[in-house]
Amino acid sequence: MSLADDLARQPTAAEAEHRPRTEFDGTSGYVQTGALTEPPASHTELLRQFGYDPDEVEIVGAPRISRWQTFDERWLAAYRFRIAPRQAAASGMDELLARIDSWTAHQPTAASGPHVFNFQASDLQIAKSDNGGTEVIVEKFLESVDRAVTEHQSLAHRGIAGVHILFPGDCIEGNVSQEGRNWWRTEYAVTTQTRILRRLMLHAVEQFAPLTDQVWLSVVNGNHDEAQRFQTTNPGDGWATECAISVADALKMNPAAFGHVTVEVPHPEQGFMTVARGDTIFTIAHGHQWKGGGTAKGSHAFTWWADQSFHQQNPAGAHILAHGHYHTWAVETAKTRTRICSPTFDGGSNYYRDLTGAEAKRGGLVYLTRAGEVTAMSLV
């Protein structure tokens, strides 16, 4: 061997290839593919290859991917999928219709009074995996609805003419935040996220509908709810409002039970809406329309509100700006204006806690409104 050949030699590693393997204990597990030149074409076929029945087991979330280049310059990848028992396969609309059909006619309550009872629930971010994930988010929401119903009953003596349920956005985790980089920390695909959200919206309506003769369900999209970002569509192209529209369509199938329920979302070309609830006017937005924080003169939310008013847009007539996005319960007031920022239902971000130490209270807000004034507010 010549000196040139000897110098050209290199200590090439004998690579340990990824071997197909799987583990599953009946509750959770994983599937690890071997080295592949292309991603698996079908989750169903992949499950069958590993001996699972796709009717009993499903792949959840996005795969963890390992990529490497071989000595002959080919790129290979191995995929690790999480698996879990398959959840009920009924379609979202079929299930909603079945539940709605089972309700008997609404019995008028004849409740009257000067107040509207508000339940404000923002930033559920369904499928976010941090701090308990979706299971804890759903449990907290259901608990919050129960507490809100109790609060409604305890405040009924003040005179409540209607119930306003607000979802100010980021209802699901989605798959578009941070250009999709949040996807590996997301437990379920978007279709499953929206199915859960529809059920939770309907649950809230079902709990309040028998208590009053007027229910409003108000829903706007947050940045996590956006359907896509790779091309520009419109502000209404979001999953939260689509779920609300599905619930509205289903409620119409039983007008005797739910004819007193009104569902509203913004115009497709607008990301927020200004609506009257009783004698109080709300502007409902998510909050990503402005930056957090503010100046000595007030928050950036008040600045956005003031700009809308200066240009004579509809928020000029609002008494209340209800929003989410900042994951912190906050109230800011002027003489005739009140800003109400929701806390969060998700468990917070591990990244943000590690960076700042900050954590937020979980839950929804309940409060009464009358002629633009807010009273009896509490976290539930």
Side-chain angles (χ1 to χ4, degrees), residues 62-78:
R64 191 176 71 196
I65 306 172
S66 301
R67 291 188 175 90
W68 68 96
Q69 190 174 28
T70 64
F71 69 94
D72 57 354
E73 299 185 350
R74 292 181 301 121
W75 281 98
L76 301 176

Side-chain angles (χ1 to χ4, degrees), residues 193-211:
Q193 295 178 43
T194 56
R195 187 182 313 136
I196 295 169
L197 177 58
R198 286 194 299 266
R199 293 171 179 172
L200 295 183
M201 286 181 174
L202 180 57
H203 175 77
V205 170
E206 288 173 332
Q207 298 309 300
F208 284 108
L211 307 180

Side-chain angles (χ1 to χ4, degrees), residues 21 40 54 81 134 153 194 201 205 242 281 284 300 306 308 315 343:
R21 58 185 183 274
F81 293 87
T134 305
Q153 293 168 344
T194 56
M201 286 181 174
V205 170
E242 178 59 26
I281 300 175
I284 305 169
H300 291 309
Q308 292 284 326

